[in-house]
Amino acid sequence: MARTQASDYDQRREAILDHAAELFARKGFNGASIAELAAACKTSKSLIYHYYPSKEDILYEVMASHVEALAEMVETLEKGSGSPRAQLDELIGRFIALYMGAKSRQKVLLDELEYLPDARREAIVGQQRQLVAAVSKLLADIHPALANDKKQLTAVTMLLFGMINWTKNWFHADGAISPQQLAKLATTIMLDGVGGLDVASLKTGVPNPRMRQI
Amino acid sequence: MARTQASDYDQRREAILDHAAELFARKGFNGASIAELAAACKTSKSLIYHYYPSKEDILYEVMASHVEALAEMVETLEKGSGSPRAQLDELIGRFIALYMGAKSRQKVLLDELEYLPDARREAIVGQQRQLVAAVSKLLADIHPALANDKKQLTAVTMLLFGMINWTKNWFHADGAISPQQLAKLATTIMLDGVGGLDVASLKTGVPNPRMRQI
DNA sequence: CCTACCGATCGGTAGG
DNA sequence: CCTACCGATCGGTAGG
C-alpha cells in the first residue's frame, strides 16, 4: 500500500517555521544554519528539505505568515466603526498586540527582509504597503489637511510606524509599561504630542489643559 | 633598515572602513566576506588582515567611529543655550544630518550591533545611552511632569528615537521632503502631535488654532 | 603584499 | 510508483 501524507504534516511544517523564526531572529538569516534548525527541531537536515525546498523558502514563509496575520487584522478593523481617533487607537493597539504575540516573526520581518529574493521580497512589501495605507487613511481622516499634502502624510505615517516598529529594540511586555499603555502612548504623541500625555504627576488632580480640547 | 609605517597608513585604514560600511550595510555582516571587502578595496585579503586583526574588529571600528561622531555632536550642543524646545529642534536636526552624511555606517550601527562580541557591543551601547540621556533630559525640561515619571520618560524618548532611526527604511534626502523638514516634522509631532503641523493647505490662510498655544 | 592553503562548515542532495 | 525519512557526503566557500 502506498504511503500517504503524514497525519501531522501541517503541524510539522508549522513547528519548523516556529523554530526558524526564533533562530533567524536570534542569529540572523545568514548566521543561522539549516543544521542548527534541524537540531532545534530534533530532526535531520533532510527532513527540513522534505518540507521546504530551500532556506529562503523558510524565510519567506516565516515572514508571509506573519504579515498575513497583520493584514487580516487590518481588514477586519477597516469594516469597523467609531471615530477616526478611536479607530487609530484600536489599530495601533492591535499592531502592538500582534507584534508582542509573535516577537521572533516580527523581528525577522523587520530585520531580514533584504535577504529574500527580489520577487518574494516584493510580495511581502506589497502586503506591508496595505498596512501603511490603512494608517495613512486614518491619519488623513483625523487631520483632513494632511489629505491634501500627500508627501507629508506619508512622512507622518512612516514616523508613526517608526515609533511602533522600533519597539522591538527596547520594549518588553513584562516591564513597567504594558503593551496597551505603549500603544496609547504612541497614538497620543502622534495626535497631541507630549502635551497630550496623561503623566503620573498630573493624575493627582492637576488637569492637563491640552486634554480638554480633544 | 627596519620598515617604517606606510605614509598613507591612516588613509588606507579609513578607506577599508568606508568600503566595509558600504558592504556590511548592503549584504549584512554575515553576508559580506573579507574577500569581497578586499576586492572592493582593490587589494588582497592579507592586506585587510594587516590593518585589522579580524572581521569583527572592522565591524567594531565602523560602528565606534560613527557613534563617536554622534556623541561628540551631543556634547557640543549640551554646552549651548536657547529654550529647551529650540535645543531639541537643533539636536534632532543634527542627528538627522549625521545620519544622512553617513548612511551606511548608521545602517550598520542599527542593524548589525548584535554581531559584535559582548564586550564591544556593550562599549557601543554605552555611547548610545549618552545620546538617549541627552534627548530624555531635553524632553523632561520641555514637559517637567515627565521628569517625575521616569518610565514614561524613557518610553517617550525611545518613541522619538524610533521616529528618527526608522527613517533608514524609507527616507531619501533627495525626495520631496528635506532632512531639515524631516527633523522639524519629528520634533513637532513629539511636542504637539499632528495638530501642531504646518500643513500645506493651512499655509494659505487658515491659521492652525493649536499653534497659538505654544 | 601575494599565492597557497588550512580546518570547519555552508546549503543542498545522493542512494536506499 | 508514490511519499517519508535516514546517515553520509556532495561541490564550494567561509574566515584566517
Side-chain angles (χ1 to χ4, degrees), chain B residues 27-61:
Chain B
K27 312 188 83 172
F29 177 69
N30 281 320
S33 70
I34 295 294
E36 279 178 297
L37 176 56
C41 299
K42 295 187 212 286
T43 183
S44 64
K45 287 200 292 179
S46 304
L47 190 275
I48 302 292
Y49 283 104
H50 171 69
Y51 283 92
Y52 296 97
S54 74
K55 196 186 181 191
E56 280 165 350
D57 279 87
I58 298 173
L59 178 62
Y60 177 73
E61 288 296 331

Side-chain angles (χ1 to χ4, degrees), chain A residues 27-40:
Chain A
K27 311 187 85 172
F29 177 69
N30 282 319
S33 71
I34 295 294
E36 279 178 297
L37 175 56

Side-chain angles (χ1 to χ4, degrees), chain A residues 23-209:
Chain A
L23 210 57
F24 291 163
R26 189 157 45 82
K27 311 187 85 172
F29 177 69
N30 282 319
S33 71
I34 295 294
E36 279 178 297
L37 175 56
C41 299
K42 294 187 212 287
T43 183
S44 64
K45 282 203 296 177
S46 302
L47 191 275
I48 303 291
Y49 281 106
H50 172 69
Y51 283 92
Y52 295 98
S54 74
K55 195 186 180 190
E56 280 165 350
D57 280 86
I58 299 173
L59 178 62
Y60 177 74
E61 289 294 332
V62 166
M63 293 178 168
S65 61
H66 182 57
V67 80
E68 191 119 346
L70 295 171
E72 279 175 22
M73 176 275 287
V74 168
E75 278 177 42
T76 306
L77 281 194
E78 279 180 334
K79 296 168 189 156
S81 59
S83 73
R85 286 182 83 103
Q87 285 184 51
L88 184 68
D89 228 43
E90 177 77 12
L91 183 60
I92 300 303
R94 299 233 186 168
F95 270 126
I96 301 273
L98 285 176
Y99 289 4
M100 292 300 133
K103 290 200 84 159
S104 291
R105 290 186 196 222
Q106 174 64 14
K107 182 171 195 298
V108 171
L109 179 63
L110 296 183
D111 290 353
E112 314 296 326
L113 189 57
E114 57 198 313
Y115 302 114
L116 275 185
D118 287 4
R120 305 201 124 177
R121 188 178 59 247
E122 276 311 305
I124 300 294
V125 169
Q127 295 256 63
Q128 289 177 318
R129 273 195 267 265
Q130 290 180 239
L131 312 181
V132 172
V135 170
S136 275
K137 186 185 175 302
L138 287 178
L139 286 173
D141 285 350
I142 292 167
H143 199 62
L146 274 175
N148 303 320
D149 193 345
K150 298 282 184 194
K151 298 291 181 184
Q152 193 157 207
L153 174 59
T154 298
V156 168
T157 303
M158 295 312 292
L159 292 175
L160 177 50
F161 271 100
M163 284 198 273
I164 69 174
N165 288 351
W166 190 250
T167 56
K168 76 174 162 61
N169 292 312
W170 64 275
F171 184 71
H172 302 284
D174 54 356
I177 290 179
S178 73
Q180 296 100 305
Q181 287 175 311
L182 176 69
K184 196 183 179 200
L185 216 50
T187 54
T188 299
I189 284 171
M190 179 50 54
L191 299 178
D192 305 304
V194 286
L197 292 180
D198 180 22
V199 202
S201 56
L202 289 176
K203 286 179 189 160
T204 52
V206 189
N208 183 337

